[in-house]
Amino acid sequence: TMGLGRHLSWMADLRYVDSLPNPKIPHYFEADTDLTWAFNNRLDLIFRASNLLHGHHLEYELAGATVGDEVERSFSLGARVKF
């Protein structure tokens, strides 16, 4: 996490997922990022972007299936309240 001023911080991560042999799933790299604004001492507002390097990727297949679940790029807004 990197501070971008008194109330703003940025986090980014890059990950590598190795291939799977059976069922055959190719390896991939993926990246996520968060931008957090500390509105006050108790409330953070967060913008999150996930899976930025590809529009989608195959994450796993069920045994015997010809297709599996794909994870898509996503964006979200959130709030964190501190007690």
Side-chain angles (χ1 to χ4, degrees):
T1 302
M2 179 188 321
L4 301 176
R6 186 171 174 201
H7 299 284
L8 197 60
S9 63
W10 175 62
M11 184 280 303
D13 67 71
L14 175 68
R15 66 185 177 281
Y16 171 77
V17 178
D18 205 355
S19 60
L20 296 174
N22 188 17
K24 187 167 177 55
I25 306 291
H27 71 273
Y28 60 90
F29 284 92
E30 203 51 84
D32 302 330
T33 190
D34 289 354
L35 187 62
T36 302
W37 177 47
F39 182 74
N40 58 36
N41 289 338
R42 293 186 37 146
L43 177 65
D44 293 341
L45 302 176
I46 306 155
F47 170 74
R48 179 158 182 81
S50 301
N51 301 312
L52 294 173
L53 300 181
H54 308 95
H56 56 87
H57 64 267
L58 187 63
E59 190 136 309
Y60 66 90
E61 283 186 335
L62 299 174
T66 56
V67 296
D69 286 344
E70 290 201 353
V71 177
E72 297 181 344
R73 180 177 297 136
S74 64
F75 303 92
S76 60
L77 295 173
R80 178 173 42 227
V81 178
K82 302 171 192 171
F83 292 95

